[in-house]
Amino acid sequence: MAVARLARLVLGPGAVRGRGAVAGSLPRCAGPGRAPRRLFSNRNILVELEEGAGVAVMKMKSPPVNSLSLDFLTEFSISLEKLENDRGCRGVILTSGNCPAGGCLMAVSCDYRIMAENPKYSIGLNETQLGIVAPFWFKDTMVNTIGHRATERSLQLGLLYSASDALKIGIVDELVPEEKVLNAAAATMSQWLAIPDYARQISKSMMRKPTLDRMLTHRESDIQNFVSFVTKDSIQKSLQTYMERLKQRKG
């Protein structure tokens, strides 16, 4: 598999909240000098958990762009839940390619972001370029990451940032050569896991809980608002125009 363009770190205990029983049905493998690893995979996601370090790597494998389809997101959620319920997993490294829209949200939801120093990759919330509006919880998460004014400008213009600009504005935390992304992510994970899990997780929850609570409280109304908005004829025409432009670029 190609080296990841962007690596994101999600730190536990677990990846998020729960601490359940280990699945126990995952295959194990170990090579010379390597710690035992447990693997599981589905059509769109490959997960490898190194038991000694307690760190899992989730590789997205839905070419060409790892689009966030319903099938992809379902498999992603199932894989993350398996790791969350695995007592041996303390942190997760996610890897992907370019990160527009939902991919950007996934990145800024993580604890630390490392991006390949390559001009062909970009990241940002570009919904307005499609004629649609980013949900409020996209906005809230982005504000938490880069601040109010930078988020306002990014959302209104639908900006996609190059690696250097993403670092400057704070969407990513570090740039490295593409072939060193995973090694840099593993080194950073070791630094974060040197902090006691309990103290680090409480600190993380203290910072993020208000945003999560607001999202959960307004989840159903947000879904209804989105469906009502995106099914309007004018919005459908705008989306069609955008897709036609993309086809022309590829052609």
Side-chain angles (χ1 to χ4, degrees), residues 206-228:
M206 178 175 61
M207 295 297 296
R208 300 191 180 200
K209 190 174 185 301
T211 301
L212 290 171
D213 287 346
R214 178 166 135 83
M215 180 187 70
L216 293 173
T217 298
H218 300 285
R219 180 177 180 178
E220 291 304 319
S221 60
D222 177 66
I223 293 173
Q224 295 303 319
N225 289 336
F226 175 78
V227 171
S228 175

Short mmCIF file of all heavy atoms in Angstrom, two decimals, residues 206-228:
data_model
loop_
_atom_site.label_atom_id
_atom_site.label_comp_id
_atom_site.label_asym_id
_atom_site.label_seq_id
_atom_site.Cartn_x
_atom_site.Cartn_y
_atom_site.Cartn_z
N MET A 206 -12.41 17.34 28.88
CA MET A 206 -12.71 18.68 29.37
C MET A 206 -12.74 19.69 28.23
O MET A 206 -13.57 20.60 28.20
CB MET A 206 -11.66 19.09 30.40
CG MET A 206 -11.82 20.48 30.98
SD MET A 206 -10.60 20.76 32.30
CE MET A 206 -9.04 20.56 31.40
N MET A 207 -11.86 19.52 27.26
CA MET A 207 -11.77 20.44 26.13
C MET A 207 -12.87 20.19 25.09
O MET A 207 -13.39 21.12 24.49
CB MET A 207 -10.41 20.31 25.46
CG MET A 207 -9.23 20.73 26.32
SD MET A 207 -9.30 22.48 26.78
CE MET A 207 -9.14 23.25 25.17
N ARG A 208 -13.26 18.93 24.89
CA ARG A 208 -14.11 18.58 23.76
C ARG A 208 -15.57 18.28 24.11
O ARG A 208 -16.42 18.26 23.23
CB ARG A 208 -13.51 17.37 23.04
CG ARG A 208 -12.11 17.64 22.51
CD ARG A 208 -11.64 16.55 21.58
NE ARG A 208 -10.31 16.81 21.07
CZ ARG A 208 -9.81 16.26 19.98
NH1 ARG A 208 -10.56 15.42 19.28
NH2 ARG A 208 -8.59 16.53 19.57
N LYS A 209 -15.86 18.03 25.38
CA LYS A 209 -17.21 17.61 25.76
C LYS A 209 -18.29 18.62 25.35
O LYS A 209 -19.36 18.21 24.87
CB LYS A 209 -17.28 17.34 27.26
CG LYS A 209 -18.58 16.67 27.70
CD LYS A 209 -18.53 16.29 29.17
CE LYS A 209 -19.79 15.51 29.57
NZ LYS A 209 -21.04 16.26 29.35
N PRO A 210 -18.11 19.93 25.53
CA PRO A 210 -19.17 20.86 25.12
C PRO A 210 -19.53 20.73 23.64
O PRO A 210 -20.72 20.80 23.27
CB PRO A 210 -18.58 22.23 25.44
CG PRO A 210 -17.61 21.98 26.55
CD PRO A 210 -17.01 20.65 26.22
N THR A 211 -18.55 20.55 22.79
CA THR A 211 -18.81 20.40 21.35
C THR A 211 -19.57 19.11 21.07
O THR A 211 -20.53 19.09 20.28
CB THR A 211 -17.48 20.40 20.57
OG1 THR A 211 -16.80 21.65 20.81
CG2 THR A 211 -17.72 20.25 19.08
N LEU A 212 -19.16 18.01 21.71
CA LEU A 212 -19.84 16.73 21.52
C LEU A 212 -21.27 16.78 22.03
O LEU A 212 -22.20 16.28 21.39
CB LEU A 212 -19.07 15.62 22.23
CG LEU A 212 -17.72 15.23 21.62
CD1 LEU A 212 -16.97 14.29 22.55
CD2 LEU A 212 -17.90 14.59 20.25
N ASP A 213 -21.47 17.39 23.19
CA ASP A 213 -22.82 17.49 23.76
C ASP A 213 -23.74 18.27 22.83
O ASP A 213 -24.91 17.90 22.63
CB ASP A 213 -22.77 18.15 25.14
CG ASP A 213 -22.18 17.24 26.20
OD1 ASP A 213 -22.05 16.04 25.94
OD2 ASP A 213 -21.84 17.76 27.29
N ARG A 214 -23.25 19.36 22.30
CA ARG A 214 -24.07 20.19 21.40
C ARG A 214 -24.42 19.41 20.13
O ARG A 214 -25.56 19.47 19.65
CB ARG A 214 -23.30 21.47 21.05
CG ARG A 214 -23.99 22.41 20.09
CD ARG A 214 -23.28 23.75 20.11
NE ARG A 214 -23.05 24.28 18.80
CZ ARG A 214 -23.94 24.97 18.08
NH1 ARG A 214 -25.15 25.18 18.57
NH2 ARG A 214 -23.63 25.44 16.89
N MET A 215 -23.48 18.66 19.60
CA MET A 215 -23.74 17.87 18.40
C MET A 215 -24.81 16.82 18.67
O MET A 215 -25.75 16.64 17.88
CB MET A 215 -22.46 17.18 17.93
CG MET A 215 -22.64 16.34 16.68
SD MET A 215 -21.17 15.38 16.24
CE MET A 215 -21.14 14.18 17.56
N LEU A 216 -24.69 16.10 19.78
CA LEU A 216 -25.65 15.04 20.10
C LEU A 216 -27.04 15.60 20.40
O LEU A 216 -28.05 15.02 20.01
CB LEU A 216 -25.15 14.22 21.29
CG LEU A 216 -23.88 13.40 21.04
CD1 LEU A 216 -23.39 12.76 22.32
CD2 LEU A 216 -24.13 12.34 19.97
N THR A 217 -27.09 16.74 21.06
CA THR A 217 -28.37 17.35 21.39
C THR A 217 -29.16 17.74 20.15
O THR A 217 -30.38 17.60 20.09
CB THR A 217 -28.16 18.59 22.28
OG1 THR A 217 -27.54 18.19 23.51
CG2 THR A 217 -29.49 19.27 22.60
N HIS A 218 -28.46 18.23 19.14
CA HIS A 218 -29.12 18.75 17.94
C HIS A 218 -28.98 17.82 16.74
O HIS A 218 -29.19 18.25 15.60
CB HIS A 218 -28.55 20.13 17.59
CG HIS A 218 -28.73 21.15 18.67
ND1 HIS A 218 -29.95 21.76 18.92
CD2 HIS A 218 -27.86 21.65 19.58
CE1 HIS A 218 -29.81 22.60 19.93
NE2 HIS A 218 -28.56 22.56 20.35
N ARG A 219 -28.64 16.57 16.99
CA ARG A 219 -28.36 15.64 15.89
C ARG A 219 -29.55 15.47 14.95
O ARG A 219 -29.42 15.59 13.72
CB ARG A 219 -27.96 14.29 16.47
CG ARG A 219 -27.65 13.24 15.42
CD ARG A 219 -27.19 11.95 16.07
NE ARG A 219 -26.88 10.94 15.08
CZ ARG A 219 -26.42 9.72 15.37
NH1 ARG A 219 -26.22 9.39 16.63
NH2 ARG A 219 -26.17 8.86 14.41
N GLU A 220 -30.72 15.16 15.49
CA GLU A 220 -31.88 14.90 14.65
C GLU A 220 -32.32 16.12 13.86
O GLU A 220 -32.63 16.03 12.67
CB GLU A 220 -33.04 14.37 15.50
CG GLU A 220 -32.82 12.98 16.07
CD GLU A 220 -32.51 11.96 14.99
OE1 GLU A 220 -33.16 12.01 13.92
OE2 GLU A 220 -31.62 11.12 15.20
N SER A 221 -32.34 17.28 14.49
CA SER A 221 -32.74 18.50 13.78
C SER A 221 -31.72 18.84 12.71
O SER A 221 -32.09 19.34 11.63
CB SER A 221 -32.89 19.66 14.76
OG SER A 221 -31.67 19.94 15.44
N ASP A 222 -30.45 18.56 12.95
CA ASP A 222 -29.43 18.82 11.95
C ASP A 222 -29.64 17.93 10.72
O ASP A 222 -29.50 18.39 9.58
CB ASP A 222 -28.04 18.58 12.55
CG ASP A 222 -26.93 18.76 11.53
OD1 ASP A 222 -26.75 19.90 11.06
OD2 ASP A 222 -26.26 17.78 11.18
N ILE A 223 -29.97 16.66 10.95
CA ILE A 223 -30.24 15.75 9.83
C ILE A 223 -31.42 16.24 8.99
O ILE A 223 -31.36 16.28 7.76
CB ILE A 223 -30.51 14.32 10.35
CG1 ILE A 223 -29.25 13.72 10.97
CG2 ILE A 223 -31.05 13.42 9.23
CD1 ILE A 223 -29.47 12.40 11.66
N GLN A 224 -32.49 16.65 9.67
CA GLN A 224 -33.67 17.14 8.96
C GLN A 224 -33.36 18.41 8.17
O GLN A 224 -33.80 18.56 7.02
CB GLN A 224 -34.81 17.39 9.95
CG GLN A 224 -35.33 16.14 10.63
CD GLN A 224 -35.82 15.09 9.64
OE1 GLN A 224 -36.47 15.42 8.64
NE2 GLN A 224 -35.49 13.83 9.89
N ASN A 225 -32.60 19.31 8.77
CA ASN A 225 -32.23 20.55 8.08
C ASN A 225 -31.38 20.26 6.84
O ASN A 225 -31.56 20.88 5.79
CB ASN A 225 -31.47 21.48 9.02
CG ASN A 225 -32.36 22.07 10.09
OD1 ASN A 225 -33.57 22.17 9.91
ND2 ASN A 225 -31.76 22.47 11.19
N PHE A 226 -30.46 19.31 6.98
CA PHE A 226 -29.59 18.98 5.85
C PHE A 226 -30.39 18.38 4.70
O PHE A 226 -30.23 18.76 3.54
CB PHE A 226 -28.50 18.01 6.29
CG PHE A 226 -27.63 17.54 5.14
CD1 PHE A 226 -26.63 18.36 4.64
CD2 PHE A 226 -27.83 16.30 4.56
CE1 PHE A 226 -25.83 17.94 3.58
CE2 PHE A 226 -27.05 15.87 3.50
CZ PHE A 226 -26.04 16.70 3.01
N VAL A 227 -31.26 17.43 5.03
CA VAL A 227 -32.08 16.79 3.99
C VAL A 227 -32.96 17.81 3.28
O VAL A 227 -33.07 17.83 2.04
CB VAL A 227 -32.94 15.66 4.59
CG1 VAL A 227 -33.95 15.13 3.57
CG2 VAL A 227 -32.06 14.53 5.11
N SER A 228 -33.57 18.70 4.06
CA SER A 228 -34.42 19.73 3.47
C SER A 228 -33.62 20.66 2.55
O SER A 228 -34.08 21.04 1.48
CB SER A 228 -35.09 20.54 4.59
OG SER A 228 -35.83 21.61 4.06
#
